[in-house]
Amino acid sequence: MSVQIILGAQWGDEGKGKIVDLLSQNINIVARYQGGANAGHTIVLDDKQYILHLIPSGIFHPNVICVIGNGVVIDPIALLDEIKQLQNLGINISNRLLISHNAHLIMPYHKLIDNLREKEADKIGTTGRGIGPAYIDKATRTGIKIVDLLDRKIFEMKLIKNIEVYNKLFDQIYGVEKLDVEKIVSEYEDFDKIIDEYVTDTALYLNNAIKDGKNILAEGAQGALLDIDHGTYPFVTSSNPTSGGACTGLGIPPTSIKSILGVAKAYCTRVGNGPFPTELTGELGNKLRTVGSEFGATTGRPRRCGWFDAFAMKYSAMINGIEKLAITKLDVLSAFDEIFICTAYEYNGKRLKTFPTDVLSLESVKPIYERFDGWKTELENMTSFTDLPDNAIKYLSAIEKFTGVGINIISVGPKRNQTIILDN
Ligand code: GDP
Ligand code: IMO
Ligand code: MG
């Protein structure tokens, strides 16, 4: 076996952390391919909750090697914090964490400018983690990479050049205090000393692992509808969470990809701004948020909630090549008497053929729903498909029918054992 991609098929927070952790049991390597500490991947073990932002969700399995790929943007503060937290839990990271020398660094000015821009009227609702600005610098070829930390002179030279530009912006446009180069240099030197043992050519490592027949999971962050190319631009993140991102973000060839699993909630959520056709803004939305504990794992913001959008999922499946779905949080829907699935969009009175990614159209589409009777039964302790109430099975079958994708994992609670895995 070679690489299996596990990615968010909606707007993020689908439960990727739980599913990657669960599927890491017989895996050699878990590799994160994009995003940064904007991600919050939750894993619940023995009733304790752990939230990972940068370190791959396979880290709780002692034999799994975790790779942070070149496509990830790394915030030293967030990474060191996470390493420390794991070490405090007694988890051995040495020889188990590999960081790409080609990954770009998030610098203090990225976080500052991200937060300053978010004060403007047309804000995206970012996580404020400096993600967009770091990818801007990567694209404009002024970014600073992990490998640049190796040589103090090169690092300082690049930093001084960047800070000159950013300081002008801070001073003249935003009227905030300028940043101090020396302070940043010394902070990043300290960071380099700690992470030095983990830095390597991860693309080479992964390609050798593929040749050796190792089992690899490529873990996506965010979700397909937040993809910079295929999502609801400009209300997106600045990377490619879609399956193509796994190849560029890890340096592995498309031919090494064996399968693609999409993780999707049994309903929909979205944090931040942007169109969300099936959003429930009233009582039902509040109920979904309360029952599903829908608050951001990174920022704590309340998540916007709505019905499952099969029309959007069909699109997500198409651009990602999703072969199977893991449906999470089915247990949350047990609280509802009736449940709806959006099966199509109408725009100007006509049924659309595909999900429109342009915001203006998406904001004015009318979702067409199919209604389902609820099951009003607790699912948390169910371990096999045949335990599930008939109405839950009907609901899952409808998701398969409307999205055209089969379901092979059903998650009925946050813990590892609250999962039903189907063979076919
Ligand atoms: P990720 O970013 O895709 O990893 O997802 P998050 O961790 O941000 O959000 C998913 C939330 O749902 C976390 O709090 C999980 O512990 C929780 N969760 C995952 N699967 C299930 C499930 O099947 N049922 C319930 N009730 N909670 C779940
Ligand atoms: P995980 O991996 C949900 C959203 C933000 C905002 C937009 C841009 O936990 O699923 P950014 O900080 O990336 O520039 O913000 O993307 N966003 C997420 N939403 N889950 C995430 O990660 C997200 N990471 C970013 O809320 O709308
Ligand atoms: Mg999350």
Side-chain angles (χ1 to χ4, degrees):
M1 174 178 159
S2 42
V3 184
Q4 179 181 8
I5 301 175
I6 302 182
L7 54 84
Q10 296 159 318
W11 277 287
D13 301 327
E14 298 88 348
K16 298 175 290 294
K18 168 182 165 160
I19 300 298
V20 171
D21 167 70
L22 176 81
L23 297 182
S24 294
Q25 269 153 24
N26 301 312
I27 288 295
N28 304 107
I29 301 165
V30 179
R32 249 293 285 281
Y33 59 85
Q34 44 66 238
N38 48 352
H41 294 178
T42 313
I43 294 163
V44 177
L45 302 171
D46 299 329
D47 290 327
K48 271 208 178 129
Q49 180 177 279
Y50 305 95
I51 298 173
L52 298 168
H53 302 286
L54 282 162
I55 295 186
S57 301
I59 199 73
F60 293 102
H61 295 267
N63 297 322
V64 168
I65 304 287
C66 287
V67 174
I68 298 179
N70 56 276
V72 176
V73 283
I74 298 178
D75 175 7
I77 297 170
L79 182 60
L80 292 185
D81 205 44
E82 215 164 309
I83 290 176
K84 208 180 272 165
Q85 279 185 35
L86 290 168
Q87 283 168 339
N88 288 343
L89 290 169
I91 291 163
N92 174 31
I93 308 276
S94 285
N95 306 319
R96 291 192 49 220
L97 177 65
L98 302 176
I99 301 171
S100 169
H101 65 321
N102 274 329
H104 279 246
L105 283 164
I106 295 206
M107 305 303 292
Y109 42 80
H110 293 141
K111 286 196 270 189
L112 187 54
I113 197 99
D114 190 4
N115 287 294
L116 288 169
R117 280 195 188 137
E118 283 294 298
K119 288 191 179 129
E120 289 163 14
D122 57 344
K123 65 178 189 177
I124 303 289
T126 74
T127 59
R129 299 297 190 267
I131 305 298
Y135 281 114
I136 288 178
D137 280 0
K138 177 175 177 174
T140 50
R141 293 153 292 177
T142 55
I144 301 183
K145 303 210 276 187
I146 291 276
V147 68
D148 296 324
L149 291 169
L150 287 179
D151 188 319
R152 191 190 154 122
K153 266 202 198 121
I154 293 182
F155 179 69
E156 250 188 86
M157 209 175 66
K158 290 193 172 181
L159 187 63
I160 289 169
K161 217 168 151 192
N162 285 353
I163 281 207
E164 254 173 39
V165 178
Y166 278 100
N167 270 346
K168 262 190 210 150
L169 211 62
F170 293 142
D171 187 38
Q172 292 167 18
I173 309 278
Y174 292 103
V176 296
E177 218 173 291
K178 292 180 183 179
L179 295 174
D180 175 359
V181 176
E182 280 315 307
K183 191 167 161 262
I184 300 176
V185 169
S186 98
E187 277 168 8
Y188 280 69
E189 266 180 2
D190 292 346
F191 168 66
D192 180 42
K193 278 182 208 137
I194 300 172
I195 62 149
D196 192 48
E197 64 169 305
Y198 310 114
V199 176
T200 190
D201 181 344
T202 53
L204 179 65
Y205 172 82
L206 287 169
N207 279 282
N208 284 337
I210 290 166
K211 269 192 214 130
D212 293 344
K214 300 277 194 223
N215 296 330
I216 302 168
L217 294 186
E219 176 180 6
Q222 289 81 56
L225 301 176
L226 289 173
D227 186 282
I228 187 146
D229 288 281
H230 304 290
T232 53
Y233 190 91
F235 299 100
V236 292
T237 192
S238 301
S239 64
N240 291 115
T242 45
S243 53
C247 293
T248 50
L250 296 173
I252 56 172
T255 46
S256 66
I257 309 300
K258 190 190 142 248
S259 63
I260 301 164
L261 176 73
V263 185
K265 267 179 204 167
Y267 47 98
C268 272
T269 63
R270 167 161 209 171
V271 215
N273 300 336
F276 180 0
T278 65
E279 181 171 18
L280 296 164
T281 46
E283 218 173 279
L284 281 173
N286 288 338
K287 186 168 169 182
L288 264 176
R289 179 160 44 253
T290 309
V291 181
S293 307
E294 293 297 353
F295 295 88
T298 297
T299 58
R301 289 179 293 175
R303 293 174 181 149
R304 300 157 63 193
C305 299
W307 296 124
F308 187 86
D309 190 338
F311 195 63
M313 182 56 60
K314 218 170 153 179
Y315 167 74
S316 177
M318 175 184 82
I319 53 171
N320 285 299
I322 293 173
E323 295 155 322
K324 289 284 172 194
L325 281 173
I327 295 292
T328 62
K329 304 190 93 159
L330 188 65
D331 52 300
V332 173
L333 294 181
S334 298
F336 291 82
D337 294 322
E338 53 176 11
I339 303 164
F340 292 82
I341 294 179
C342 165
T343 58
Y345 292 167
E346 258 179 25
Y347 182 67
N348 288 339
K350 280 197 188 137
R351 290 272 170 123
L352 291 182
K353 287 200 172 68
T354 186
F355 179 81
T357 51
D358 72 291
V359 169
L360 282 182
S361 312
L362 200 52
E363 267 165 357
S364 9
V365 297
K366 180 178 162 219
I368 308 297
Y369 290 105
E370 190 125 329
R371 183 195 166 280
F372 295 84
D373 282 326
W375 44 90
K376 304 291 277 186
T377 315
E378 284 198 2
L379 309 181
E380 284 83 348
N381 297 318
M382 297 191 176
T383 51
S384 101
F385 186 72
T386 48
D387 292 343
L388 289 173
D390 282 350
N391 284 349
I393 293 178
K394 275 187 200 152
Y395 181 73
L396 293 169
S397 305
I399 289 182
E400 289 189 328
K401 183 177 126 194
F402 295 129
T403 60
V405 186
I407 296 169
N408 73 345
I409 296 177
I410 302 156
S411 176
V412 291
K415 297 183 200 167
R416 271 183 196 162
N417 62 0
Q418 293 178 309
T419 318
I420 298 169
I421 300 189
L422 307 174
D423 292 330
N424 47 34

XYZ file of all heavy atoms in Angstrom, residues 8 12-19 39-44 49 51 57 219 222 263 265 291-298 303 327-332 380 410-415 418, ligand 1:
355
model
N -10.741 17.068 4.544
C -12.030 17.655 4.894
C -12.808 17.917 3.625
O -12.308 18.547 2.697
N -14.223 22.547 6.660
C -13.317 22.345 7.792
C -14.050 21.831 9.023
O -15.291 21.796 9.067
N -13.271 21.365 10.006
C -13.812 20.877 11.288
C -14.754 19.693 11.127
O -15.696 19.522 11.903
C -14.540 22.012 12.054
C -13.614 23.181 12.331
O -12.414 22.946 12.526
O -14.099 24.325 12.341
N -14.494 18.867 10.144
C -15.379 17.733 9.881
C -15.142 16.573 10.846
O -15.927 15.627 10.912
C -15.185 17.221 8.438
C -15.518 18.228 7.343
C -14.327 19.115 6.951
O -13.307 19.121 7.676
O -14.430 19.800 5.912
N -14.016 16.643 11.564
C -13.645 15.523 12.437
C -12.442 14.769 11.868
O -12.257 13.582 12.130
N -11.619 15.490 11.105
C -10.438 14.863 10.486
C -9.499 14.278 11.542
O -8.949 13.203 11.384
C -9.660 15.901 9.641
C -10.465 16.469 8.488
C -9.712 17.571 7.750
C -9.541 18.853 8.527
N -10.800 19.580 8.822
N -9.319 15.062 12.638
C -8.415 14.612 13.704
C -8.814 13.247 14.220
O -8.001 12.338 14.312
N -10.097 13.090 14.532
C -10.571 11.808 15.054
C -10.343 10.679 14.035
O -9.872 9.604 14.377
C -12.071 11.881 15.396
C -12.588 10.483 15.647
C -14.024 10.273 15.942
C -14.294 8.761 15.770
N -15.494 8.293 16.436
N -10.696 10.949 12.774
C -10.620 9.889 11.758
C -9.151 9.536 11.453
O -8.804 8.363 11.321
C -11.387 10.304 10.469
C -12.872 10.574 10.789
C -11.234 9.264 9.371
C -13.663 9.385 11.331
N -5.462 25.334 11.733
C -6.159 24.072 11.951
C -6.283 23.784 13.443
O -5.426 24.176 14.232
C -5.387 22.935 11.278
N -7.350 23.097 13.795
C -7.498 22.589 15.153
C -8.098 21.208 15.010
O -9.269 21.077 14.663
N -7.276 20.181 15.187
C -7.735 18.807 14.986
C -7.870 18.133 16.354
O -6.887 17.978 17.071
C -6.758 18.050 14.080
C -6.724 18.605 12.689
N -5.903 18.116 11.702
C -7.432 19.615 12.110
C -6.110 18.801 10.581
N -7.027 19.724 10.814
N -9.086 17.739 16.675
C -9.373 17.226 18.021
C -9.331 15.704 18.056
O -9.880 15.033 17.179
C -10.782 17.694 18.462
O -10.891 19.090 18.186
C -11.026 17.434 19.935
N -8.700 15.213 19.117
C -8.643 13.768 19.338
C -9.051 13.538 20.794
O -8.579 14.240 21.687
C -7.211 13.251 19.085
C -6.875 13.436 17.599
C -7.053 11.792 19.501
C -5.419 13.351 17.291
N -9.952 12.602 21.017
C -10.386 12.324 22.389
C -9.911 10.918 22.767
O -10.249 9.937 22.110
C -11.924 12.448 22.525
C -12.377 12.081 23.928
C -12.365 13.875 22.188
N -9.463 15.452 25.995
C -9.460 16.032 24.656
C -8.112 16.670 24.339
O -7.572 17.412 25.154
C -10.571 17.070 24.609
C -10.669 17.754 23.262
C -11.817 18.740 23.208
O -12.964 18.370 23.009
N -11.518 19.990 23.408
N -6.009 18.889 21.292
C -6.202 19.627 20.036
C -4.846 19.873 19.386
O -3.963 20.489 19.992
C -6.946 20.960 20.280
C -8.348 20.669 20.854
C -7.070 21.758 18.975
C -9.116 21.892 21.289
N -2.130 14.137 13.186
C -3.002 13.468 14.155
C -2.653 11.998 14.406
O -3.413 11.304 15.075
C -4.462 13.586 13.684
O -4.816 14.944 13.571
N -2.618 13.830 5.653
C -3.689 14.495 6.415
C -3.895 15.929 5.929
O -2.977 16.757 5.991
C -3.312 14.510 7.907
C -4.309 15.263 8.782
C -3.912 15.269 10.270
O -2.809 14.800 10.620
O -4.722 15.753 11.082
N -8.218 22.123 7.138
C -9.343 22.879 6.557
C -10.248 21.939 5.746
O -10.344 20.779 6.081
C -8.846 24.055 5.696
C -8.239 25.189 6.524
C -6.802 24.927 6.941
O -5.950 24.687 6.107
N -6.532 24.987 8.221
N -13.765 13.343 4.678
C -14.436 13.369 5.980
C -15.506 14.460 5.927
O -15.214 15.593 5.506
C -13.437 13.655 7.131
C -14.143 13.559 8.484
C -12.253 12.688 7.069
N -19.177 16.010 8.009
C -20.148 15.930 9.096
C -21.495 15.509 8.529
O -21.782 15.770 7.350
C -20.327 17.321 9.721
C -19.415 17.558 10.892
C -19.601 18.940 11.462
C -18.324 19.321 12.190
N -18.233 20.715 12.524
N -26.022 21.170 20.594
C -25.929 19.710 20.708
C -24.586 19.229 20.149
O -23.955 18.338 20.705
C -27.109 19.023 19.967
C -27.020 17.512 20.096
C -28.432 19.518 20.503
N -24.131 19.846 19.064
C -22.884 19.404 18.434
C -21.649 20.069 19.018
O -20.544 19.827 18.547
N -21.803 20.901 20.037
C -20.670 21.667 20.624
C -19.858 22.322 19.520
O -18.640 22.137 19.425
C -19.747 20.771 21.449
O -20.451 20.062 22.380
N -20.546 23.066 18.686
C -19.891 23.634 17.509
C -19.232 24.988 17.805
O -19.762 26.050 17.490
C -20.888 23.729 16.341
C -21.349 22.365 15.814
C -20.225 21.513 15.208
O -19.091 22.007 15.065
O -20.486 20.340 14.902
N -18.080 24.892 18.419
C -17.256 26.071 18.699
C -15.848 25.761 18.224
O -15.348 24.651 18.440
C -17.291 26.401 20.198
C -18.662 26.807 20.663
C -19.573 25.848 21.094
C -19.075 28.133 20.591
C -20.866 26.208 21.468
C -20.364 28.503 20.965
C -21.259 27.534 21.403
N -15.202 26.727 17.556
C -13.909 26.490 16.910
C -12.843 25.932 17.845
O -12.693 26.419 18.967
N -12.113 24.904 17.361
C -11.067 24.279 18.177
C -9.825 25.173 18.260
O -8.995 25.004 19.154
C -10.701 22.914 17.586
N -9.692 26.137 17.359
C -8.532 27.024 17.378
C -8.881 28.380 17.986
O -8.147 28.900 18.809
C -7.988 27.214 15.939
O -7.553 25.929 15.480
C -6.823 28.177 15.885
N -19.475 28.166 15.627
C -19.527 27.794 14.207
C -20.944 28.008 13.690
O -21.908 27.734 14.406
C -19.134 26.324 14.037
C -17.680 26.054 14.384
C -17.371 24.552 14.338
N -15.989 24.274 14.699
C -15.581 23.154 15.300
N -16.442 22.208 15.596
N -14.308 22.985 15.590
N -18.588 9.701 7.572
C -19.617 10.641 8.053
C -19.518 10.722 9.578
O -19.658 9.710 10.274
C -21.028 10.190 7.619
C -21.158 10.242 6.084
C -22.110 11.054 8.276
C -21.135 11.615 5.460
N -19.248 11.920 10.061
C -19.055 12.100 11.499
C -20.268 12.788 12.132
O -21.102 13.372 11.440
C -17.802 12.967 11.776
O -18.016 14.258 11.200
C -16.543 12.354 11.208
N -20.328 12.692 13.446
C -21.315 13.413 14.260
C -22.762 13.051 13.919
O -23.670 13.871 14.084
C -21.069 14.933 14.189
C -19.641 15.287 14.611
C -19.388 16.746 14.801
C -19.593 17.196 16.221
N -18.908 18.464 16.561
N -22.977 11.811 13.449
C -24.352 11.369 13.181
C -25.168 11.421 14.466
O -26.361 11.707 14.440
C -24.327 9.938 12.603
C -25.661 9.416 12.103
C -26.160 10.207 10.903
C -25.588 7.928 11.738
N -24.486 11.174 15.597
C -25.169 11.183 16.910
C -25.841 12.529 17.202
O -26.859 12.579 17.883
C -24.160 10.861 18.025
C -22.929 11.756 17.967
O -22.227 11.735 16.937
O -22.677 12.495 18.946
N -25.261 13.613 16.670
C -25.804 14.955 16.953
C -27.225 15.084 16.390
O -28.084 15.740 16.990
C -24.861 16.042 16.373
C -25.467 17.425 16.492
C -23.499 15.978 17.059
N -24.541 6.782 20.484
C -23.160 6.820 20.987
C -22.542 5.439 21.281
O -21.344 5.266 21.202
C -23.065 7.677 22.258
C -23.122 9.172 22.010
C -24.537 9.729 21.876
O -25.494 8.952 21.740
O -24.676 10.973 21.892
N -18.730 5.513 9.845
C -19.792 6.314 10.483
C -19.334 6.589 11.906
O -19.051 5.661 12.668
C -21.134 5.547 10.495
C -21.547 5.165 9.067
C -22.226 6.373 11.164
C -22.481 3.977 8.997
N -19.236 7.867 12.232
C -18.756 8.238 13.555
C -19.943 8.683 14.400
O -20.742 9.525 13.985
C -17.724 9.354 13.412
O -17.314 9.808 14.677
N -20.060 8.084 15.603
C -21.226 8.377 16.456
C -20.823 8.965 17.810
O -21.566 8.926 18.775
C -22.097 7.103 16.646
C -22.771 6.720 15.340
C -21.267 5.936 17.186
N -19.620 9.497 17.867
C -19.127 10.125 19.092
C -17.669 10.496 18.895
O -17.036 10.030 17.942
N -17.114 11.349 19.764
C -15.747 11.823 19.546
C -14.643 10.789 19.795
O -13.514 10.981 19.353
C -15.625 13.000 20.535
C -16.716 12.822 21.527
C -17.798 12.044 20.876
N -14.965 9.699 20.497
C -13.908 8.737 20.863
C -13.636 7.740 19.736
O -14.508 7.467 18.909
C -14.330 7.967 22.109
C -14.512 8.846 23.330
C -14.860 7.967 24.510
C -15.508 8.790 25.606
N -16.122 7.939 26.610
N -16.149 5.001 19.231
C -17.504 5.398 18.818
C -17.557 5.518 17.296
O -17.864 6.581 16.746
C -17.891 6.705 19.508
C -18.053 6.503 21.020
C -18.385 7.785 21.744
O -17.709 8.790 21.577
N -19.409 7.770 22.564
P -11.142 18.694 12.449
O -10.598 20.067 12.386
O -11.708 18.219 11.156
O -10.179 17.705 13.037
O -12.398 18.766 13.465
P -12.440 19.549 14.862
O -11.612 18.819 15.829
O -12.173 20.987 14.665
O -13.985 19.456 15.199
C -14.639 18.233 15.310
C -15.285 18.157 16.707
O -16.228 17.121 16.746
C -14.275 17.805 17.798
O -14.685 18.404 18.992
C -14.383 16.288 17.901
O -14.000 15.778 19.173
C -15.844 16.103 17.670
N -16.245 14.843 17.026
C -15.612 14.148 16.048
N -16.379 13.109 15.644
C -17.502 13.160 16.388
C -18.699 12.402 16.405
O -18.900 11.451 15.658
N -19.671 12.772 17.295
C -19.514 13.834 18.137
N -20.509 14.111 18.960
N -18.415 14.575 18.130
C -17.428 14.254 17.261
